[in-house]
C-alpha cells in the first residue's frame, strides 16, 4: 500500500493530543539534533499543540560541527529553545570513573552522552509549565535496537515509533519542512560514523524488509539478530510476581 502522509497526519496529530492529555501535560519538550526525526517531531508538536507549547533543547557535547542544523530548525519553526552544553556532565562522570579506577569502555563513552541528554530533557521538562518529554525515535531504528536504553529510547510517548525513515521524511515534507532537515545523513553524533556505517546495512533495507518482506538472506540474518537481542530496550522492566495479595482490582494490568 502506498504511504500517504497527508492521510496519516490527522490521526497522528489527534493521537498526540490524546497522549499529552493522558500525561497531564501541556508543553512538548524535544531534543533537537537537526536530523529528520527530531525535526519532524518538533513540527508535529507545533501542529498538535501550537508553537507556544513546544520547547526545543539543543544539546552539544562540547563543540558540535553540525549545530547549525539544530539552530536552523528552531528558527524555521519559531519555537522557544535552549542550548544546553552537556560536556560538563559527560566529562564529569568520565573523570570521576577514572578517579576511582574504573576504565570507561567504548560502549560507555558512546552511550553516556545520550543518557545525559535525556536526563537534561527531563530536568527541563519538570521545570517548565506542563513539560512532557517526547521521544523522537522511528520504527527503522527501533526495529534493530539502534538506540540507547534510558537515553534516546526514553520519552512519554513516541509519535514516529511506527513510521520508517522514509515515511518520516514524507511526513516532514507534508508538514512543509525544508528538505535539508530531511536528507541529513542519520548519525549518532558520537562516533563520527553514520547510523548505517555502524549497523552494516541501510535503513532502506530495513524498511523494505519490515513493510514488504523483501531482503537478501545475509541482510535478513543481520537484521533479525539485532532485532532479537534488542527487545529488552522496549519492554517494561520485569517484575517478580511474588504471589502476595494486592487490593487493587487491575493488578494484572499494573504489571503488564
Amino acid at each position: 500500500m502506498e504511504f500517504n502522509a497527508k492521510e496519516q497526519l490527522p490521526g497522528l496529530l489527534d493521537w498526540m493530543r490524546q497522549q499529552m492529555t493522558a500525561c497531564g501535560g501541556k508543553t512538548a519538550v524535544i531534543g533537537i539534533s537537526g536530523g529528520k526525526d527530531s525535526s519532524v517531531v518538533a513540527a508535529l508538536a507545533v501542529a498538535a499543540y501550537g508553537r507556544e507549547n513546544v520547547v526545543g533543547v539543543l544539546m552539544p557535547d562540547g563543540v558540535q560541527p553540525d549545530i547549525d542544523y539544530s539552530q536552523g530548525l528552531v528558527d524555521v519553526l519559531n519555537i522557544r529553545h535552549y542550548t544546553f552544553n552537556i560536556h560538563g556532565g559527560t566529562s564529569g562522570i568520565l573523570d570521576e570513573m577514572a578517579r576511582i579506577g574504573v576504565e570507561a569502555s567504548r560502549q560507555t563513552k558512546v552511550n553516556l552522552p545520550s543518557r545525559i541528554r535525556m536526563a537534561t530533557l527531563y530536568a527541563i521538562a519538570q521545570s517548565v509549565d506542563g513539560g512532557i518529554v517526547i521521544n523522537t525515535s522511528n520504527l527503522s531504528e527501533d526495529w534493530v535496537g539502534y538506540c540507547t536504553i534510558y537515553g534516546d529510547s526514553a520519552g512519554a510517548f513516541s509519535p514516529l515509533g511506527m513510521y520508517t525513515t522514509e515515511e518520516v521524511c514524507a511526513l516532514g515534507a507534508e508538514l512543509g519542512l525544508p528538505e535539508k532537515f530531511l536528507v541529513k545523513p542519520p548519525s549518532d553524533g558520537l562516533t563520527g560514523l553514520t547510523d548505517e556505517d555502524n549497523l552494516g546495512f541501510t535503513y532502506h533495507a530495513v524498511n523494505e524488509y519490515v513493510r514488504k518482506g523483501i531482503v537478501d538472506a545475509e541482510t535478513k540474518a543481520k537484521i533479525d539478530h539485532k532485532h532479537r537481542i534488542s527487545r529488552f530496550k522496549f519492554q517494561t522492566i520485569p517484575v517478580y510476581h511474588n504471589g502476595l495479595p494486592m487490593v487493587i482490582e487491575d493488578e494484572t494490568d499494573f504489571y503488564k
Side-chain angles (χ1 to χ4, degrees):
M1 183 175 66
E2 187 88 14
F3 181 76
N4 189 313
K6 186 175 183 178
E7 290 181 357
Q8 286 287 317
L9 279 176
L12 174 56
L13 294 174
D14 186 55
W15 179 86
M16 290 176 64
R17 296 183 190 103
Q18 292 174 25
Q19 293 301 310
M20 182 64 80
T21 299
C23 292
K26 174 184 176 183
T27 304
V29 177
I30 302 163
I32 304 295
S33 70
K36 61 180 173 296
D37 298 320
S38 65
S39 298
V40 172
V41 170
L44 285 167
V46 168
Y49 314 123
R51 69 183 75 256
E52 69 277 8
N53 293 316
V54 180
V55 174
V57 186
L58 289 64
M59 294 173 285
D61 184 7
V63 177
Q64 182 178 320
D66 61 354
I67 193 72
D68 288 349
Y69 280 89
S70 304
Q71 187 62 55
L73 188 278
V74 295
D75 289 345
V76 164
L77 295 179
N78 191 26
I79 57 174
R80 178 168 38 136
H81 60 278
Y82 305 104
T83 299
F84 190 109
N85 200 307
I86 66 166
H87 188 63
T90 55
S91 61
I93 290 176
L94 293 175
D95 288 348
E96 192 65 10
M97 288 181 69
R99 186 191 69 78
I100 64 175
V102 177
E103 183 178 356
S105 68
R106 179 185 180 278
Q107 201 65 26
T108 293
K109 293 176 182 177
V110 168
N111 290 143
L112 181 60
S114 180
R115 295 190 174 116
I116 294 292
R117 288 186 173 113
M118 191 52 66
T120 300
L121 288 175
Y122 271 92
I124 291 175
Q126 291 180 327
S127 302
V128 301
D129 185 21
I132 297 293
V133 177
I134 312 300
N135 178 271
T136 62
S137 297
N138 63 58
L139 173 62
S140 308
E141 295 170 339
D142 289 350
W143 190 266
V144 293
Y146 197 73
C147 61
T148 299
I149 188 170
Y150 305 124
D152 56 335
S153 68
F157 53 91
S158 177
L160 302 181
M162 288 302 289
Y163 292 106
T164 68
T165 54
E166 289 152 1
E167 292 162 356
V168 170
C169 289
L171 288 169
E174 185 63 30
L175 289 163
L177 282 173
E179 185 180 21
K180 71 175 184 176
F181 299 116
L182 305 176
V183 299
K184 181 172 176 279
S187 168
D188 58 15
L190 307 170
T191 62
L193 301 173
T194 68
D195 291 1
E196 294 175 343
D197 289 335
N198 284 314
L199 287 169
F201 47 79
T202 66
Y203 280 132
H204 179 70
V206 177
N207 301 343
E208 290 288 285
Y209 182 26
V210 171
R211 292 293 189 230
K212 303 176 184 178
I214 300 172
V215 66
D216 64 83
E218 181 180 356
T219 303
K220 180 182 184 300
K222 291 179 181 178
I223 293 173
D224 286 347
H225 174 70
K226 289 186 178 295
H227 179 76
R228 184 172 59 254
I229 65 173
S230 63
R231 291 312 87 199
F232 73 95
K233 297 182 180 182
F234 306 98
Q235 296 172 351
T236 303
I237 185 169
V239 176
Y240 171 60
H241 290 261
N242 54 25
L244 296 175
M246 295 184 68
V247 297
I248 59 174
E249 295 180 357
D250 59 344
E251 60 181 280
T252 302
D253 291 335
F254 180 82
Y255 284 120
K256 282 182 179 178

